[in-house]
Amino acid sequence: MVVAMDQRTNVNGDAGAQKEEGFDPSAQPPFKIGDIRAAIPKHCWVKSPLRSMSYVARDICAVAALAIAAVYFDSWFLWPLYWVAQGTLFWAIFVLGHDCGHGSFSDIPLLNSVVGHILHSFILVPYHGCCRRISHRTHHQNHGHVENDESWVPLPEKLYKNLPHSTRMLRYTVPLPMLAYPIYLWYRSPGKEGSHFNPYSGLFAPSERKLIATSTTCWSIMLAILICLSFLVGPVTVLKVYGVPYIIFVMWLDAVTYLHHHGHDEKLPWYRGKEWSYLRGGLTTIDRDYGIFNNIHHDIGTHVIHHLFPQIPHYHLVDATKAAKHALGRYYREPKTSGAIPIHLVESLVASIKKDHYVSDTGDIVFYETDPDLYVYASVKSKIN
């Protein structure tokens, strides 16, 4: 086993900081994934199309009601409240489409595909391309793997240091990383090539091209609808009703997906080669408590069990997590309890983006390291602000 750890105490802390009171999160777990599966009650595996559709109906009705109310009152006092609320609901819709992609929405593939395309196209996400079917499938099958993971992948040191300084600044200066999702859809992450819209992208197998073409067509139809509405009611109205909530949705998506894989109090490992396994990679994910938003965005904060068993419907994740805790032991990290508004997560997000920049080019178990120059700049800027 080869382990690469950052030992510069002035920025990153010493290597011993990787272990939490004698517990090494990178150690081979003393249990198998079958042990966790056996601990989860049978009802947690049951998918109810009716129950899943009820959440879709709830969210669509809420989105429509908010939009109608915002247009009716047309008050600059209320628009900011509308933007935050509607952007949050867009994120909730994304989570339901994400369930469709995993097949946890129902056991009916056609229903999953139709609902997934409708929900994700509405928020300008290519269902098959990104979602939750193909590139996201790659993320789940390779979670925690430095080279093969797909979502918020750590940059190897050589690649990181070859990036222009301006790119590093954009990637690691809050809030800019929280607006990265649309760029990721078109260009992926540094060091990876391919577009989620192009059927001939290297992301996809030849057998998947028709699926990608279908998703891109649905995405294009939604974009065309927005353009037509801009001519009918004016671009400013479309921007207020749809555009700004879309930006809020992107910020939700980027922040939540980042926090599920970064920002724990103790650094968590990333793996390469023979040290990686599906179980070990899944155990590096982190549960989060989002306060009043837990129910609104369908308990996506219960992320560890979701990563290990993505076929479990979102409405059973809390029960499954409670049952699996004893099997996971210290490999399960209890999320910090949130108040009504999860303000504490902002601190975790900012602190991680300031310090977690790259991983070593060598080693089968690696931890995030810090670019001292970027860290000093971020610290000075935060003090000035």
Side-chain angles (χ1 to χ4, degrees):
M1 178 177 72
V2 180
V3 181
M5 299 174 104
D6 184 16
Q7 299 186 27
R8 289 173 291 181
T9 57
N10 60 327
V11 175
N12 297 307
D14 57 33
Q18 313 302 339
K19 297 183 179 181
E20 181 183 348
E21 297 178 1
F23 170 68
D24 183 0
S26 68
Q28 191 73 245
F31 50 82
K32 297 181 179 180
I33 196 165
D35 299 323
I36 307 171
R37 182 188 296 272
I40 297 174
K42 291 183 179 180
H43 78 270
C44 292
W45 304 93
V46 177
K47 307 165 193 174
S48 167
L50 184 62
R51 185 171 181 181
S52 294
M53 285 301 299
S54 72
Y55 288 107
V56 173
R58 182 193 80 173
D59 288 356
I60 289 177
C61 288
V63 165
L66 278 176
I68 292 169
V71 172
Y72 177 79
F73 290 106
D74 194 16
S75 165
W76 282 108
F77 175 76
L78 296 176
W79 278 115
L81 299 177
Y82 165 79
W83 292 333
V84 172
Q86 192 71 295
T88 302
L89 285 175
F90 280 16
W91 165 236
I93 283 176
F94 176 91
V95 175
L96 292 177
H98 158 267
D99 273 11
C100 292
H102 279 301
S104 59
F105 189 85
S106 78
D107 285 320
I108 308 169
L110 180 60
L111 178 64
N112 295 339
S113 185
V114 170
V115 174
H117 272 99
I118 292 172
L119 294 180
H120 274 188
S121 297
F122 174 71
I123 50 176
L124 294 177
V125 174
Y127 174 69
H128 283 306
C130 172
C131 167
R132 311 327 287 170
R133 282 239 35 235
I134 295 175
S135 88
H136 190 67
R137 178 189 64 201
T138 301
H139 168 51
H140 270 260
Q141 291 176 345
N142 297 277
H143 45 211
H145 193 291
V146 174
E147 281 81 23
N148 298 337
D149 200 344
E150 181 63 30
S151 179
W152 290 111
V153 184
L155 300 182
E157 184 173 5
K158 183 177 180 180
L159 174 60
Y160 172 84
K161 292 187 175 178
N162 283 335
L163 293 176
H165 185 70
S166 58
T167 301
R168 294 186 226 169
M169 297 292 294
L170 291 172
R171 187 176 174 85
Y172 298 103
T173 302
V174 178
L176 298 177
M178 300 303 101
L179 301 170
Y181 186 64
I183 300 172
Y184 164 73
L185 289 179
W186 284 100
Y187 302 107
R188 294 179 77 193
S189 303
K192 295 179 179 287
E193 296 181 353
S195 169
H196 291 83
F197 298 97
N198 182 2
Y200 293 90
S201 167
L203 262 170
F204 314 118
S207 61
E208 296 169 331
R209 287 172 182 166
K210 289 184 179 179
L211 299 176
I212 306 309
T214 300
S215 294
T216 301
T217 299
C218 292
W219 180 92
S220 300
I221 290 171
M222 182 60 197
L223 183 63
I225 290 172
L226 292 173
I227 293 172
C228 289
L229 286 173
S230 295
F231 284 104
L232 290 173
V233 301
V236 173
T237 299
V238 172
L239 178 66
K240 290 193 295 184
V241 175
Y242 183 92
V244 179
Y246 172 79
I247 295 172
I248 300 297
F249 148 65
V250 167
M251 295 181 74
W252 263 114
L253 186 152
D254 281 325
V256 170
T257 54
Y258 184 93
L259 285 167
H260 285 161
H261 301 275
H262 303 77
H264 190 254
D265 292 341
E266 302 294 336
K267 289 187 180 182
L268 298 178
W270 287 78
Y271 299 98
R272 290 188 178 102
K274 294 181 179 179
E275 290 297 332
W276 181 88
S277 69
Y278 181 84
L279 175 59
R280 293 177 85 181
L283 294 176
T284 65
T285 59
I286 307 167
D287 277 9
R288 300 289 188 179
D289 182 1
Y290 294 96
I292 62 172
F293 299 103
N294 286 328
N295 179 265
I296 295 173
H297 65 201
H298 309 295
D299 290 312
I300 194 62
T302 47
H303 209 65
V304 177
I305 290 301
H306 165 67
H307 250 270
L308 293 174
F309 307 106
Q311 62 271 39
I312 294 179
H314 74 264
Y315 41 83
H316 291 320
L317 284 173
V318 172
D319 285 349
T321 298
K322 289 179 180 177
K325 283 182 185 179
H326 76 274
L328 293 167
R330 296 189 68 176
Y331 286 86
Y332 179 76
R333 301 159 191 92
E334 196 76 38
K336 182 178 180 180
T337 303
S338 173
I341 306 299
I343 298 174
H344 69 287
L345 293 178
V346 176
E347 181 181 356
S348 297
L349 179 73
V350 173
S352 177
I353 290 176
K354 283 171 60 177
K355 292 184 178 181
D356 297 338
H357 298 148
Y358 60 85
V359 296
S360 173
D361 293 319
T362 60
D364 290 340
I365 301 177
V366 294
F367 295 84
Y368 265 110
E369 302 182 26
T370 303
D371 179 347
D373 295 334
L374 205 59
Y375 177 79
V376 170
Y377 168 83
S379 298
V380 171
K381 183 176 179 181
S382 63
K383 289 179 180 179
I384 293 175
N385 293 337

